């Protein structure tokens, strides 16, 4: 659980236990500053020394009790500090009611991930529209709904927004949000202990199943069997299934054919990188949420510097905002450049190396770098190898002889042939196009 989720859950409980006035007075400007999981310490920020002393003296006992229950005693200590709330939003404004935390299984939904806070641009309008349809008519239209796209582009946000919204409209529905990875570990646990009750209570009677990052089912044969059965059960009873993935179903390595066809049977839509306009809109909205005013040339500059990923865009803004909080002066453009220079790299300027391309491609196709550099000519290796060659050429303008050299000492004609072949294939193969998009995005974030 992140510190934000943890503190939201504590607030939910405090709200139930305290009078409204007390709750608002003492906790409306509290926020989680830091969570040291290993040490079991959570730091809470409060707006003044007076607040800090009061909350610590009067409420520490209660807070500790709540949090220990929530975390099975993992949190051992709360540290109270004086600090101003970073986000000046009304207390738990768009946050779900506490009951919703218990309604979704395993994972609490992140209260920030709502439709209200989701900016719609050309890059995500289809996915967004499909999600709204799902909320209107869960289980009927667009079932299953499969959303795919690169990292940090809002897939998890959308999935959870659907969860919040369905619970808001239909409080009687059971919504389950789970990552495929958590699903796998729950399943493995059930096998190990021979106890399937947890799986049953999690998925039995679920009306809306939100599965995040299904690509991580890749190669997990038995987990896929289990998932297939749960999927069918829910689907046949007209329950909604919504999935996210970083790639199309057929591009997930070693995903059973029957799952691929199930995943394809409803609606498939993608989220791509936001254009400049959308990035600016996102920054402006996030600034408004923080009560933070930046000039339009500053916003424009940040939006130009961070292109590929909304998570990084937020990160850049957070650093600028942190600077403002420390120095209490709105940073001007030269200052912003300085702040961002330490952390944000200018978008793709040949910083990607051939080595990174090999690693990224190998990783994506679940191979090793050695596989790609080996002499083996099996199709399973040959095609990813050609993609690596293509990316070396198009992304960092590596010479053909060097490309051949880097990929296992091959002849430069092999490299030329590979680049031509991939270029041709791209013209008519959308799946490959999308894979290349994801690879490029990964390169630009690892570089
Ligand atoms: P993904 O699951 O695709 O990797 P996330 O959903 O985790 O991406 O999004 C990364 C961050 O960017 C989150 O903090 C999310 O709130 C924010 N974000 C993504 N898309 C949007 C959007 N369209 N509007 C506002 N915030 C967004
Ligand atoms: Mg995600």
């Amino acid at each position: 659980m992140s510190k934000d989720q943890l503190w939201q859950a504590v607030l939910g409980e405090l709200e139930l236990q305290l009078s409204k006035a007390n709750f608002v007075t003492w906790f409306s400007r509290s926020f989680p500053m830091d969570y040291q999981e290993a040490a079991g310490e959570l730091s809470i920020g409060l707006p003044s020394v007076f607040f800090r002393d009061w909350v610590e003296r009067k409420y520490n006992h209660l807070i500790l009790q709540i949090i220990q229950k929530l975390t099975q005693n993992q949190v051992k200590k709360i540290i109270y500090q004086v600090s101003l709330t970073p986000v000046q939003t009304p207390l738990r404004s768009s946050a779900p009611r506490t009951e919703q935390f218990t309604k979704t299984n395993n994972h609490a939904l992140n209260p920030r991930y709502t439709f209200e806070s989701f900016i719609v641009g050309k890059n995500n309008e289809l996915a967004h529209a499909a999600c709204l349809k799902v909320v209107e008519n869960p289980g009927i239209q667009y079932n299953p709904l499969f959303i795919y796209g690169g990292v940090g582009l809002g897939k998890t946000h959308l999935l959870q927004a659907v969860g919040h919204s369905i619970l808001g409209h239909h409080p009687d529905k059971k919504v389950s949000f789970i990552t495929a990875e958590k699903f796998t570990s729950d399943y493995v646990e059930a096998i190990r202990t021979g106890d399937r009750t947890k799986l049953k209570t999690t998925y039995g009677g679920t009306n809306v199943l939100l599965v995040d990052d299904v690509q991580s089912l890749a190669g997990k044969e038995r987990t896929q069997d289990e998932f297939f059965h749960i999927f069918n059960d829910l689907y046949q009873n007209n329950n909604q299934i919504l999935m996210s993935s970083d790639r199309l179903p057929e591009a997930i390595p070693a995903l059973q054919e029957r799952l691929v066809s199930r995943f394809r049977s409803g609606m498939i839509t993608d989220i791509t990188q936001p254009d400049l306009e959308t990035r600016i809109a996102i920054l402006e909205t996030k600034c408004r949420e923080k009560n933070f005013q930046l000039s339009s040339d500053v916003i424009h500059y940040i939006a130009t510097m961070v292109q590929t990923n909304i998570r990084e865009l937020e990160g850049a803004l957070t650093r600028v905002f942190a600077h403002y909080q420390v120095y209490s002066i709105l940073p001007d453009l030269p200052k912003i450049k300085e702040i961002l220079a330490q952390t944000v790299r200018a978008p793709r300027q040949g910083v990607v190396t051939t080595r990174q391309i090999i690693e990224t491609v190998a990783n994506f196709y679940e191979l090793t770098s050695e596989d790609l550099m080996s002499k083996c000519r099996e199709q399973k290796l040959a095609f990813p190898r050609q993609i690596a060659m293509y990316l070396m050429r198009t992304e960092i303008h590596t010479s053909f002889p060097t490309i051949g050299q880097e990929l296992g000492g091959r002849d430069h004609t092999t490299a030329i042939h590979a680049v031509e072949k991939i270029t041709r294939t791209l013209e008519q193969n959308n799946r490959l196009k999308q894979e290349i998009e994801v690879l490029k995005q990964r390169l630009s974030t690892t570089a």
Side-chain angles (χ1 to χ4, degrees):
M1 217 191 267
S2 74
K3 63 177 193 300
D4 292 311
Q5 290 170 321
L6 194 57
W7 191 240
Q8 282 299 334
V10 172
L11 287 179
E13 195 52 41
L14 283 171
E15 191 175 11
L16 292 175
Q17 301 203 17
L18 304 179
S19 73
K20 172 109 182 145
N22 268 336
F23 176 70
V24 171
T25 308
W26 299 111
F27 294 102
S28 57
R29 283 185 290 161
S30 68
F31 71 101
M33 293 174 67
D34 187 33
Y35 177 26
Q36 297 290 337
E37 215 163 347
E41 292 178 352
L42 177 71
S43 303
I44 297 303
L46 291 156
S48 71
V49 175
F50 176 67
F51 270 73
R52 181 196 64 193
D53 292 350
W54 184 280
V55 169
E56 181 158 26
R57 217 172 44 241
K58 293 267 187 184
Y59 296 114
N60 181 49
H61 184 70
L62 176 63
I63 295 174
L64 209 54
Q65 208 181 6
I66 293 174
I67 212 162
Q68 294 193 329
K69 212 156 120 202
L70 279 170
T71 63
Q72 273 106 36
N73 294 331
Q74 273 185 15
V75 175
K76 308 219 162 31
K77 189 169 177 210
I78 315 271
I79 298 162
Y80 300 88
Q81 297 184 355
V82 179
S83 177
L84 287 178
T85 326
V87 186
Q88 298 284 355
T89 46
L91 191 59
R92 310 178 69 232
S93 55
S94 54
R97 306 284 314 160
T98 347
E99 309 88 78
Q100 291 182 3
F101 281 110
T102 49
K103 271 230 158 137
T104 63
N105 289 288
N106 298 317
H107 288 260
L109 299 176
N110 184 331
R112 284 200 309 119
Y113 291 173
T114 59
F115 280 120
E116 288 74 38
S117 63
F118 190 83
I119 316 290
V120 183
K122 282 192 200 71
N123 63 315
N124 58 25
E125 63 187 351
L126 263 177
H128 177 258
C131 284
L132 289 181
K133 283 275 178 247
V134 162
V135 171
E136 254 172 57
N137 271 324
I140 295 176
Q141 231 170 344
Y142 301 158
N143 198 21
L145 173 58
F146 190 99
I147 298 177
Y148 70 94
V151 53
L153 296 180
K155 301 184 296 296
T156 301
H157 189 137
L158 263 186
L159 249 60
Q160 297 209 0
V162 168
H164 283 304
S165 189
I166 289 188
L167 286 171
H169 285 89
H170 317 268
D172 51 316
K173 297 243 187 240
K174 177 171 167 185
V175 174
S176 300
F177 173 86
I178 189 140
T179 62
E181 208 172 331
K182 178 78 168 68
F183 178 83
T184 305
S185 68
D186 283 356
Y187 173 68
V188 170
E189 176 74 11
I191 295 295
R192 196 177 60 76
T193 59
D195 178 4
R196 300 169 69 86
T197 37
K198 189 166 163 208
L199 283 182
K200 284 223 181 73
T201 43
T202 309
Y203 303 104
T206 290
N207 304 110
V208 181
L209 180 64
L210 309 166
V211 192
D212 208 7
D213 293 322
V214 285
Q215 77 277 358
S216 74
L217 292 177
K220 297 178 183 133
E221 193 66 22
R222 295 221 292 166
T223 309
Q224 289 181 20
D225 288 341
E226 180 74 18
F227 189 73
F228 180 74
H229 293 303
I230 289 174
F231 184 103
N232 278 350
D233 263 4
L234 294 177
Y235 182 79
Q236 276 156 13
N237 293 306
N238 295 325
N239 296 303
Q240 177 71 43
I241 299 155
L242 205 167
M243 292 169 281
S244 80
S245 164
D246 70 355
R247 57 193 97 177
L248 280 163
E250 59 270 35
I252 300 177
L255 183 69
Q256 295 170 3
E257 195 41 51
R258 55 182 186 168
L259 279 175
V260 173
S261 78
R262 287 294 183 292
F263 291 1
R264 293 201 62 89
S265 65
M267 159 94 172
I268 298 197
T269 166
D270 65 349
I271 302 190
T272 54
Q273 294 181 2
D275 57 15
L276 181 65
E277 217 182 342
T278 310
R279 297 198 300 275
I280 290 177
I282 289 173
L283 285 172
E284 278 174 347
T285 311
K286 308 250 167 197
C287 281
R288 257 201 312 278
E289 284 171 6
K290 291 183 199 286
N291 251 335
F292 184 42
Q293 285 196 332
L294 287 175
S295 64
S296 57
D297 57 338
V298 165
I299 294 224
H300 192 276
Y301 178 76
I302 302 177
T304 324
M305 284 298 284
V306 188
Q307 300 188 342
T308 51
N309 175 325
I310 298 174
R311 188 173 296 135
E312 292 202 352
L313 198 61
E314 283 183 341
L317 186 63
T318 303
R319 281 189 293 275
V320 172
F321 186 60
H323 181 276
Y324 165 68
Q325 284 195 305
V326 173
Y327 297 101
S328 303
I329 337 170
L330 274 179
D332 54 9
L333 197 51
K335 194 78 216 167
I336 298 269
K337 287 187 180 166
E338 197 183 300
I339 298 169
L340 296 190
Q342 298 155 12
T343 34
V344 178
R345 287 163 307 269
R348 264 192 242 141
Q349 286 177 344
V351 270
V352 176
T353 61
T354 53
R355 183 79 219 171
Q356 276 160 341
I357 291 182
I358 293 175
E359 276 167 16
T360 307
V361 172
N363 197 302
F364 185 82
Y365 291 102
E366 308 227 314
L367 303 167
T368 63
S369 303
E370 289 68 40
D371 285 338
L372 290 188
M373 294 184 291
S374 73
K375 299 277 171 226
C376 175
R377 287 161 61 172
E378 241 179 87
Q379 177 63 16
K380 160 172 150 244
L381 304 184
F383 192 63
R385 189 179 289 133
Q386 289 171 334
I387 289 186
M389 292 179 166
Y390 170 84
L391 287 171
M392 285 182 190
R393 185 68 190 170
T394 53
E395 290 299 289
I396 56 174
H397 314 293
T398 314
S399 73
F400 285 117
T402 309
I403 295 177
Q405 194 53 43
E406 291 288 316
L407 283 154
R410 293 180 153 74
D411 193 72
H412 76 278
T413 52
T414 310
I416 295 175
H417 168 74
V419 173
E420 280 173 355
K421 177 175 160 201
I422 298 296
T423 310
R424 258 194 331 271
T425 316
L426 271 176
E427 280 164 21
Q428 346 108 8
N429 186 331
N430 276 333
R431 166 181 156 184
L432 181 62
K433 218 185 259 169
Q434 192 252 334
E435 288 181 20
I436 299 268
E437 274 314 304
V438 171
L439 282 165
K440 283 188 195 167
Q441 197 213 10
R442 288 201 182 170
L443 283 173
S444 63
T445 46
T446 55

